[in-house]
Each structure stands twice: as structure tokens, then as C-alpha cells.
Amino acid sequence: GAVVSQHPSRVICKSGTSVKIECRSLDFQATTMFWYRQFPKKSLMLMATSNEGSKATYEQGVEKDKFLINHASLTLSTLTVTSAHPEDSSFYICSAYPGQRETQYFGPGTRLLVL
Amino acid sequence: KNEVEQSPQNLTAQEGEFITINCSYSVGISALHWLQQHPGGGIVSLFMLSSGKKKHGRLIATINIQEKHSSLHITASHPRDSAVYICAAAPYSGGGADGLTFGKGTHLIIQP
């Protein structure tokens, strides 16, 4: 089956620093990648949709200057949390959509802890 | 905005029992996903369906578009089925190409 990887799986950083999370589709090309966020015991929530070579579309309430998304190729999207604060601590999950009405394939997630 | 509701929130059952998890949504969709999330967080996509019924091993998913309702069934449940099961609705227009709206999940524990 299709595989999506995320790196790192876990990161701890100091408040004020920036953290980059990578999402890669390993054996298929993804026309679209999605970034989701999950707080403890809460639903996953869509943060943004990114298409290769174009600007990401952010959901209402998600700060685009804080959560920078770059979709450099059909197999790689990155999410950078800039000037991280403790309230950014969360579980970030990406998914990749190969097109042709297939399902989305999810990455294993990245757990971010901001001290 | 689509509201996705799941029930029950928590379910504990004995090994071998037949399990049903329900999902309802408020707005018409192009597809509904059932996902499985294990401790540690990784998510696996179980089904994507837009009509009828799908079966994979001991898992069965059904959807009733008119009723805006879907169910996930597990036959002959096993402790390794213990996980959080999440339904997620895809809006019209893309099938898999649009961001999903998620239910809160059903925390399933199967006891030996």
C-alpha cells in the first residue's frame, strides 16, 4: 500500500524557536497534501491544504505566517511552526492524496512539545 | 460546516464480540472515511466509501447517504483491534481531494 512518512516523529523545542516537519509520499506522487492537528482527546482538525507549486490554502483561524507550508515537489510538503509557543504543542499529521479519487494516505504524525 | 458525530465515545467489549460504531454527519458528502488510530498516534485508513458497503477481512463499513449515517462493524473482535476509530467526512467535489472533517473518535478496548 501507499506509504507516507513524517520526520521527525517527535520533537521538543524551546519557546521562540522554529520547527520544520517534513511529510513525504514514498511510493506515489501526491497532487495534494493536507496538514492536520490533534489536541489531546480532541478531533483531528484540518489546518491547511497544499498543492504542489502553489500557495497553501489555510482553514479559518489558522495563522499562515505562523504555520508556513511549502509543497516543493509531488512527494514532499513541509510545515514550519515559526516562533513556537507552548500552546503550539500538539500532534501534527499530514496526509497525501494521489489523485483519481483514491483515498488520502496518512503519515504517522509528529508530536511537538514546546517548552 | 459539516458536523460529524460518532457513537459511542468509549466501548469496552470481550474478545469475540461483534462491534458496531456509528457515525452521522449533517451535510451531504462525497465520501466518508473510517480511520484507525493506535496508541502513539499513527493513523491508518480503513475504508473510503460513498455508497453501499465495503468489507475487508473482519471489518465491514456501510453508509446510507439518505440517512447521512455510516457504521463500522468488527466481527470476531480481538484485543489487537483495540484502538481509536475515527470517521471523517469529505465534502463534495473531490472525494479524496478535500480536507476532511473528523468525528471525535470511538475509543475501543477489546478485553481477552
Side-chain angles (χ1 to χ4, degrees):
Chain A
V3 178
V4 175
S5 70
Q6 274 184 247
H7 179 79
S9 58
R10 186 180 297 264
V11 57
I12 301 172
C13 69
K14 292 182 178 179
S15 189
T17 60
S18 294
V19 175
K20 180 186 282 189
I21 303 169
E22 291 187 350
C23 176
R24 291 181 186 273
S25 56
L26 298 185
D27 51 1
F28 66 97
Q29 292 185 328
T31 57
T32 306
M33 287 187 172
F34 303 91
W35 286 96
Y36 299 94
R37 182 176 182 177
Q38 185 180 39
F39 291 104
K41 302 192 178 185
K42 298 289 185 186
S43 300
L44 285 134
M45 292 186 64
L46 177 66
M47 297 176 67
T49 303
S50 81
N51 294 292
E52 184 262 342
S54 62
K55 288 185 179 180
T57 302
Y58 290 81
E59 294 299 296
Q60 193 172 12
V62 178
E63 298 175 60
K64 62 181 180 182
D65 294 329
K66 180 164 186 63
F67 298 100
L68 301 178
I69 291 173
N70 184 280
H71 195 151
S73 73
L74 285 171
T75 59
L76 173 64
S77 177
T78 59
L79 168 68
T80 302
V81 183
T82 62
S83 188
H85 285 102
E87 58 264 30
D88 299 324
S89 299
S90 190
F91 190 61
Y92 294 87
I93 301 174
C94 71
S95 70
Y97 175 64
Q100 299 186 354
R101 303 189 68 79
E102 282 196 52
T103 188
Q104 296 180 24
Y105 296 96
F106 288 84
T110 297
R111 195 164 297 279
L112 171 64
L113 177 62
V114 183
L115 302 177
Chain B
K1 189 176 184 319
N2 211 345
E3 302 291 333
V4 179
E5 299 288 338
Q6 275 187 247
S7 63
Q9 287 188 1
N10 297 283
L11 178 57
T12 300
Q14 295 298 120
E15 184 173 356
E17 286 190 39
F18 181 81
I19 303 299
T20 296
I21 299 170
N22 295 300
C23 176
S24 60
Y25 50 93
S26 59
V27 179
I29 60 172
S30 61
L32 187 115
H33 297 249
W34 281 102
L35 311 170
Q36 181 190 57
Q37 186 174 27
H38 280 284
I43 288 181
V44 174
S45 179
L46 299 175
F47 296 103
M48 182 178 80
L49 66 165
S50 54
S51 65
K53 176 179 173 179
K54 287 189 176 180
K55 184 175 189 293
H56 181 70
R58 294 180 294 105
L59 301 178
I60 303 167
T62 63
I63 189 167
N64 184 318
I65 296 296
Q66 288 73 32
E67 298 289 324
K68 295 188 176 62
H69 181 269
S70 176
S71 293
L72 176 69
H73 305 285
I74 305 175
T75 62
S77 59
H78 190 276
R80 64 175 175 266
D81 297 325
S82 299
V84 177
Y85 292 85
I86 303 168
C87 70
Y92 276 124
S93 83
D98 294 292
L100 306 176
T101 301
F102 295 84
K104 291 185 178 179
T106 295
H107 190 188
L108 174 66
I109 297 173
I110 303 297
Q111 294 177 335

